[in-house]
Amino acid sequence: QVQLVESGGGSVQPGGSLRLSCAASGSIFSINTMGWYRQHPGKQRELVAVRSSGGSTRYANSVLGRFTISRDNAKNTVSLQMNSLKSEDTAVYYCNINQQLRDYWGQGTQVTVSS
């Protein structure tokens, strides 16, 4: 089994910053991608940022230049630094890893951006 534990969500005013972290443990063999998705109320889950084991990254257009994903392959952790937050960034954020063609998800952490 694979466990993903997220931390760092919370409430912040527009323009503020938050950092999300996720640690993977359990049956970890060879993680391909690690990343973050988010889900707005009533909407489908969407990609925020993902980083491959080789270091390539992909971001949603809406977060380009504001969010930065980082990954520690030795510790099996992935983080998301979120700057210049906007109200539309309010969502539940989920950590995701892909290992051997299988996706694993964290429990989700709420991020609320409001004045």
Side-chain angles (χ1 to χ4, degrees):
Q1 282 286 33
V2 173
Q3 294 83 41
L4 301 179
V5 178
E6 301 152 341
S7 60
S11 296
V12 66
Q13 292 186 340
S17 298
L18 283 174
R19 185 177 180 86
L20 305 181
S21 296
C22 174
S25 62
S27 301
I28 301 298
F29 303 110
S30 178
I31 299 175
N32 179 19
T33 60
M34 301 185 78
W36 293 92
Y37 288 70
R38 67 187 181 187
Q39 189 166 18
H40 296 98
K43 299 287 183 66
Q44 287 189 330
R45 198 171 295 185
E46 62 181 17
L47 171 74
V48 177
V50 65
R51 189 176 181 100
S52 73
S53 57
S56 61
T57 57
R58 182 158 57 103
Y59 293 92
N61 288 339
S62 59
V63 308
L64 274 173
R66 300 187 298 121
F67 291 11
T68 303
I69 188 170
S70 58
R71 172 176 173 174
D72 187 325
N73 290 333
K75 296 181 179 179
N76 296 321
T77 59
V78 61
S79 297
L80 185 70
Q81 178 65 42
M82 304 185 293
N83 298 328
S84 302
L85 282 160
K86 304 176 181 179
S87 58
E88 51 263 45
D89 295 318
T90 296
V92 178
Y93 285 70
Y94 295 90
C95 176
N96 167 274
I97 71 168
N98 182 277
Q99 175 173 264
Q100 297 180 326
L101 302 180
R102 182 174 174 177
D103 282 314
Y104 298 87
W105 296 93
Q107 78 281 5
T109 184
Q110 176 70 44
V111 170
T112 301
V113 184
S114 174
S115 55

